[in-house]
Amino acid sequence: MSHNSSKIQQVCGSNSISTPAFIYDENEIQRKLSNIRKIQNCNILYPLKPCAFIDILRLMAPLISGFSVSSLFEAMLANEVIKNHNVIHITTPGLCPDEIENVSELCDYISFNSISQWKLYHNRLRSGIKQGLRINPQLSFVEDDRYNPCRIHSKLGVPLTEMVHELNDINFIKKISGFLFHNNCESTDFNDLLETVNHIDKYLPKALKKISWINFGGGYLFDESENIGALAETISCLKSKYELDIYFEPGRGIIGDAGYIVSSVIDLFKSDHRNIAILDTTVNHMPEVFEYQYKTDIIGDACNGKYKYILAGASCLAGDIFGEYRFDQPLIIGARIIFKGVGAYTLVKASMFNGINLPSIYAYTLTNKLVLRRRFTYDDFLSRYEVKNNVIE
Ligand SMILES: Cc1ncc(COP(=O)(O)O)c(C=O)c1O
């Protein structure tokens, strides 16, 4: 969990911040990156999917080997901020024929999601781009199938058992220089990774000898060095056996604890004998609350507090509810409610459903100042729905 929660609470208490707001803590991002950079022989990529705010990408660029992206637009965004030493990796099931040339120009590594995708596009790539394949290791650690890349009939990657046959095609294997897999979600146990790599090694030892790089994907949370031992072991096994260049692209693990949503109570009333507090934010600013039906931690929630409230969002959706929380003091109109640990998959998935404005974006900087970086306006809402001149008849 972020080391700065109490400082963030102090600065958010002040009225200088307008709510709803998304705050990202630059110190926490740096702390996470410096922890993971202690691991030897591992190139860290940051995937844009959990949070793609450009200032965050700029902060990270000097500290990482590059970015991983899942679409042409993400590749274009990463390209805006890359430093000389940064590379861009892409993998997606969604490659389209009209995008492949641009994708190929912008990316240094492409991990095709299927053999048929490779057949469709490998002849249209620029020379110099490194071609890889996404493998489905067919080894699951994720219980909820909606987030399980190795679910039965998965659309993500070439199943290991199919790969074994494909590798007989000499023409194909000549062009493939690496593999990517991503088979976990919010795991704190790098033994899952070790098990996955051993599993792949069991099926594809000849191919591992032939390739030159491997990308572990993301799906892991890490904090102090205590849980990263098995990661180091996995890397040193692969290095000593196959001399591979290793890439790792944790998203939530880097940005999750660095993000906060700050909201204000805008109404208080009773419904069927329960206290309801309406906030000026909504689950549509943190769609995973609704998707997963999970209860986000808030700063100041007292498990034995005397005052109990259902915290609800400002939209007309009946299920726009964050859950029931307890406080030591009664809430008042204008009270600040701060959700923590929401840096990942928040801004990128947030919508203006009901015309409710998006949270303003603030940085809590390396010099411990709160700085407004972006405020959304009616123009942002309008621009989604107005007729633009770039429509070709
Ligand atoms: C290929 C790949 N890499 C990295 C990630 C980042 O995962 P996380 O944010 O859980 O670390 C994802 C998430 O879906 C992914 O699909």
Side-chain angles (χ1 to χ4, degrees), residues 98-346:
D98 56 344
E99 293 182 345
I100 188 68
E101 265 84 26
N102 287 337
V103 162
S104 163
E105 277 311 308
L106 293 171
C107 298
D108 304 284
Y109 292 73
I110 181 165
S111 296
F112 289 103
N113 186 61
S114 65
I115 304 283
S116 55
Q117 199 182 54
W118 176 79
K119 285 183 181 156
L120 277 171
Y121 296 124
H122 76 277
N123 284 330
R124 292 176 61 187
L125 300 177
R126 70 176 166 86
S127 67
I129 188 169
K130 296 205 166 96
Q131 298 181 35
L133 268 190
R134 177 171 179 162
I135 300 176
N136 167 4
Q138 296 171 296
L139 190 61
S140 288
F141 300 99
V142 183
E143 275 173 22
D144 184 338
D145 257 356
R146 289 173 303 168
Y147 305 98
N148 179 6
C150 299
R151 62 193 276 167
I152 188 90
H153 312 307
S154 173
K155 63 170 189 178
L156 296 168
V158 185
L160 210 48
T161 43
E162 309 267 325
M163 270 296 288
V164 174
H165 304 300
E166 295 296 336
L167 291 173
N168 296 327
D169 179 342
I170 297 295
N171 189 27
F172 160 71
I173 192 67
K174 259 200 320 223
K175 297 210 166 151
I176 297 297
S177 65
F179 292 146
L180 172 146
F181 63 86
H182 167 82
N183 66 333
N184 224 330
C185 184
E186 294 189 41
S187 172
T188 50
D189 188 354
F190 280 107
N191 285 303
D192 297 349
L193 182 68
L194 187 57
E195 195 181 329
T196 305
V197 165
N198 286 336
H199 184 68
I200 294 173
D201 192 10
K202 206 167 80 192
Y203 278 82
L204 305 174
K206 274 197 202 141
L208 288 177
K209 227 174 248 165
K210 211 223 120 249
I211 58 170
S212 57
W213 57 273
I214 190 159
N215 184 331
F216 293 163
Y220 290 86
L221 306 177
F222 47 87
D223 209 346
E224 306 309 330
S225 49
E226 74 230 26
N227 74 337
I228 51 187
L231 170 61
E233 190 184 335
T234 313
I235 292 165
S236 77
C237 283
L238 274 179
K239 268 273 164 208
S240 58
K241 212 163 163 191
Y242 298 113
E243 293 180 9
L244 299 179
D245 283 341
I246 290 163
Y247 291 89
F248 178 39
E249 45 183 49
R252 194 188 297 272
I254 293 173
I255 196 70
D257 287 344
Y260 300 79
I261 287 279
V262 188
S263 62
S264 300
V265 174
I266 54 171
D267 198 10
L268 290 162
F269 54 85
K270 280 198 192 289
S271 175
D272 299 323
H273 311 294
R274 295 284 182 91
N275 292 317
I276 311 291
I278 306 281
L279 308 181
D280 61 0
T281 184
T282 153
V283 293
N284 302 303
H285 292 162
M286 293 173 259
E288 289 198 339
V289 170
F290 192 73
E291 262 174 64
Y292 280 88
Q293 292 290 297
Y294 79 80
K295 201 171 159 199
T296 306
D297 289 338
I298 62 171
I299 298 179
D301 176 27
C303 19
N304 297 319
K306 227 168 99 185
Y307 303 94
K308 226 166 49 168
Y309 293 86
I310 292 173
L311 299 183
S315 81
C316 63
L317 174 71
D320 185 358
I321 287 172
F322 295 99
E324 196 161 44
Y325 293 81
R326 286 172 178 273
F327 299 86
D328 285 332
Q329 304 292 331
L331 290 180
I332 53 170
I333 303 274
R336 292 276 153 92
I337 302 290
I338 306 169
F339 295 92
K340 59 182 180 178
V342 295
Y345 304 101
T346 295

